[in-house]
Amino acid sequence: MITPMKKVTIICLEKDKETSLETLREMGVLHVTPLVNPTGVKLNAAKAKVLHVRKALEAVPDKSNKDPLQVEKPVEMVHELLSVRKNATDEISKLRNDLLRFESFGNLDPKSIESLAEKGVFVKLYEVDAGKSISVDGEALVLPFGKNANGMTYAVISRNTPVSVNNAIEMPLPSLSLAEMRSGLESASAEIQKVEDSLEGLATSRSQIVSELNSASEELELQEVAGGMIGNSCITMIQGFCPVSRLAEIQEAAKVNGWGVREEEPSEDDLVPTLLTHKAVAKPMQFLYDIIGITPGYREIDVSAVFLAFFSLFFAIIVGDAFYGLLFLVLTIVARIKLPNSKSTGFSFMYLMSGMTIIWGVLNASYLGLTPEIAPWVASLDLANHSFCPEGLKSAMSWIRNSSNMQFFCFCIAVVHLTIAHAWNIVVQIKNKSITALAQLGWLFSTWYMFFLAGNMVLGQKVPEFCRNFFSGPTSAPMIYVLIAGVVLLVLFSVPVSKLKEEWISIPMLALNIVNNFVDVISYIRLFAVGLSGAAIAESFSEMLAPMFGSVGGLLGAAVVLLLVHTLNIALAVMGVAVHAVRLNTLEFSNGLDLQWSGFNFNPFKKRGTN
């Protein structure tokens, strides 16, 4: 459920501001909303500190085989090393550019040229654009030396006085000889390697840097909250949202600290955070919400239980293979053993997904795409071949393994899923005393009509007999009357009379939306298509490689190929879940419920590491 919130305003004395903020942070019950845009010197300093420490953390590797480097202030040490590395990198860049420009002159040494100038022999270096020729005014020796990035290079040698040179650009003498440049490159590269070794040696100090980053982040959050308060020289005020169940904590703290507290219901204009309180059965859903990055709005509906139930079914159909599910289960158990202190929601989620996949795979006798003809032992895994399996279950397994029946089953999932959405919306609109509840009833009628229409158009006469009794064509009774009733309700009640002037365009758009309603039902057949494609890939490769099973070498070769195939197949299945299973819940189902996922998580002002 979505936890009810109260808008809370707290007033305290300006001189008690820091103490009050520390108290609120220790309590961790208030999602603070700034009353003004946070600014200030302390805030800027806190931001700079976080960036400073984060940069140091990013530079230190997680693990290293180098000898540990023990230092008292690792953050400052890292920045000293980064400064050395930057200087060395800049030096390498400069030396490389100079080498590229002057390397055509061989072992050029500027000191030798300066020494010759003292004796009256002048040597000048020039660059000439490609396609141009150099000329001199006076007596001089012109020596070509080769090419660089800018063109041809020349040395012009004259006695007693330098000569004028045409069509050329004089090159200033480098500060170092080419030999010194190469030596400098080696020294700078060695300096960088030394820095990298030192950074790896600081890997053991990473936890200390993380702790410092947490402290800096806490200080930043504190300054952001303080900067968002308003007041004067006497009093100051902070505002935010608190779960109703924890209001008593603020009231008790107000008595102790002398605060003035005002509690009120959030207004329609307030951006209220969402705090989901899951029942035990729906707790794994929070893991999926966090991965997808969605949260229902405060005034929306918590659909976690329904979302999780259908998502697990979609996951099982798309992945489809019992051995894949078993692999997920084993990996989850191993990860749980390796990470005993991690949150349980992710593991619970994977236990459910793995279990549902195993059950679905067993019902369909889907085991790595192997058939009894390829691997006779697979027959013993098929429950339908055992006498202890109830006849009803055998009939159900036989029915669902039929391609046409499976497609019809997907349409059944669609109509149930969308019916829940529209029926739930009807209840919500009735509670809100909105006439649009009748429009939702119209969408419910339309959805059932589209269910029978989809079955007729896609499956034809292969739909079950009871469906044909209801529907054998686009204008069949009694379903055509259901559609007519639905359209009438939609036209009359989709837009409240009070909003008809602003939203009249919604009425003519109903025709397109009704077509979309048909598309919504049809889209659930993607479960069958994606699940079938994965099974087909596995079965096809198993059949192609079956002749190799006769020898040890062939069996090993086939095993390697199948390992790669099944790894790819699992990756594709997971992608299919991410695209299709998520879409059917967040788009088709959510549209029927008018659920926008417009919320943001409740994030109280609190000490890091506290609940």
Side-chain angles (χ1 to χ4, degrees), residues 255-458:
K255 295 177 183 177
V256 175
N257 295 277
W259 300 338
V261 178
R262 179 185 178 183
E263 303 164 4
E264 56 186 319
E265 289 294 332
S267 69
E268 290 294 325
D269 296 328
D270 285 327
L271 297 176
V272 187
T274 301
L275 175 61
L276 293 174
T277 305
H278 297 290
K279 295 181 180 179
V281 68
K283 276 187 177 180
M285 197 62 232
Q286 188 60 53
F287 174 74
L288 185 60
Y289 283 166
D290 292 340
I291 290 178
I292 304 173
I294 59 174
T295 302
Y298 177 72
R299 295 177 180 84
E300 294 181 336
I301 303 167
D302 178 18
V303 295
S304 300
V306 175
F307 197 129
L308 184 63
F310 279 91
F311 185 88
S312 59
L313 177 59
F314 299 160
F315 187 102
I317 294 174
I318 290 173
V319 178
D321 193 284
F323 282 168
Y324 291 175
L326 185 60
L327 175 63
F328 294 156
L329 181 60
V330 171
L331 292 176
T332 304
I333 293 172
V334 171
R336 188 53 171 158
I337 294 172
K338 295 287 186 180
L339 303 169
N341 297 323
S342 299
K343 290 184 179 180
S344 62
T345 52
F347 298 104
S348 299
F349 176 82
M350 286 308 302
Y351 289 145
L352 177 60
M353 298 302 113
S354 303
M356 287 292 291
T357 304
I358 292 171
I359 292 172
W360 186 261
V362 169
L363 292 176
N364 284 278
S366 181
Y367 303 102
L368 300 178
L370 298 173
T371 62
E373 292 75 19
I374 300 172
W377 53 270
V378 172
S380 63
L381 297 178
D382 189 350
L383 291 180
N385 295 332
H386 295 278
S387 58
F388 61 78
C389 183
E391 289 300 322
L393 182 57
K394 287 183 179 180
S395 298
M397 289 189 293
S398 175
W399 185 85
I400 208 168
R401 293 175 190 179
N402 178 275
S403 177
S404 296
N405 291 343
M406 185 59 203
Q407 293 176 62
F408 178 72
F409 181 63
C410 289
F411 292 145
C412 290
I413 294 174
V415 75
V416 171
H417 202 203
L418 297 176
T419 294
I420 292 173
H422 291 300
W424 201 339
N425 208 346
I426 290 171
V427 174
V428 170
Q429 298 304 329
I430 290 174
K431 286 183 178 179
N432 294 336
K433 298 179 181 180
S434 173
I435 198 68
T436 56
L438 293 173
Q440 287 302 317
L441 182 61
W443 282 121
L444 189 59
F445 289 167
S446 172
T447 297
W448 276 93
Y449 177 86
M450 298 307 171
F451 163 65
F452 287 105
L453 180 61
N456 181 265
M457 293 183 66
V458 176

Side-chain angles (χ1 to χ4, degrees), residues 2 11 94 108 168 260 309 379 410 461 489 547 588:
I2 296 176
I11 299 176
K94 179 181 179 302
L108 175 66
C410 289
Q461 295 304 309
L489 290 172
E588 278 82 355

Side-chain angles (χ1 to χ4, degrees), residues 77-305:
M77 180 65 175
V78 169
H79 278 279
E80 289 177 12
L81 292 170
L82 293 178
S83 178
V84 171
R85 186 172 69 180
K86 182 181 184 304
N87 292 337
T89 302
D90 291 344
E91 181 67 11
I92 287 175
S93 178
K94 179 181 179 302
L95 290 173
R96 283 178 175 168
N97 287 335
D98 286 346
L99 276 172
L100 286 173
R101 191 175 187 190
F102 291 100
E103 64 183 351
S104 61
F105 292 104
N107 295 321
L108 175 66
D109 187 347
K111 293 179 181 178
S112 299
I113 294 178
E114 292 170 357
S115 177
L116 288 172
E118 293 175 359
K119 297 175 182 179
V121 178
F122 296 94
V123 179
K124 299 292 184 179
L125 309 180
Y126 292 92
E127 292 174 325
V128 179
D129 292 339
K132 292 185 178 181
S133 59
I134 187 171
S135 63
V136 297
D137 296 332
E139 187 176 345
L141 178 62
V142 180
L143 299 177
F145 272 86
K147 293 182 179 180
N148 66 9
N150 299 321
M152 292 293 297
T153 59
Y154 294 86
V156 177
I157 305 172
S158 60
R159 283 185 177 275
N160 301 323
T161 182
V163 297
S164 298
V165 178
N166 302 315
N167 300 327
I169 300 172
E170 184 176 353
M171 302 169 66
L173 289 177
S175 57
L176 301 173
S177 69
L178 268 65
E180 288 172 330
M181 290 181 192
R182 295 185 181 98
S183 177
L185 275 176
E186 292 179 3
S187 298
S189 298
E191 192 70 29
I192 289 177
Q193 186 57 53
K194 186 178 178 181
V195 168
E196 297 299 337
D197 292 343
S198 297
L199 288 174
E200 289 190 32
L202 287 170
T204 53
S205 300
R206 188 176 175 85
S207 59
Q208 187 178 343
I209 300 175
V210 169
S211 177
E212 192 167 341
L213 178 60
N214 289 338
S215 298
S217 299
E218 283 185 358
E219 179 63 21
L220 174 59
E221 186 178 16
L222 177 64
Q223 295 304 328
E224 284 178 335
V225 171
M229 298 172 70
I230 60 173
N232 53 36
S233 58
C234 295
I235 62 172
T236 188
M237 181 170 66
I238 186 172
Q239 193 173 80
F241 297 93
C242 174
V244 172
S245 59
R246 302 192 67 180
L247 278 175
E249 297 178 43
I250 291 182
Q251 294 165 351
E252 188 63 30
K255 295 177 183 177
V256 175
N257 295 277
W259 300 338
V261 178
R262 179 185 178 183
E263 303 164 4
E264 56 186 319
E265 289 294 332
S267 69
E268 290 294 325
D269 296 328
D270 285 327
L271 297 176
V272 187
T274 301
L275 175 61
L276 293 174
T277 305
H278 297 290
K279 295 181 180 179
V281 68
K283 276 187 177 180
M285 197 62 232
Q286 188 60 53
F287 174 74
L288 185 60
Y289 283 166
D290 292 340
I291 290 178
I292 304 173
I294 59 174
T295 302
Y298 177 72
R299 295 177 180 84
E300 294 181 336
I301 303 167
D302 178 18
V303 295
S304 300

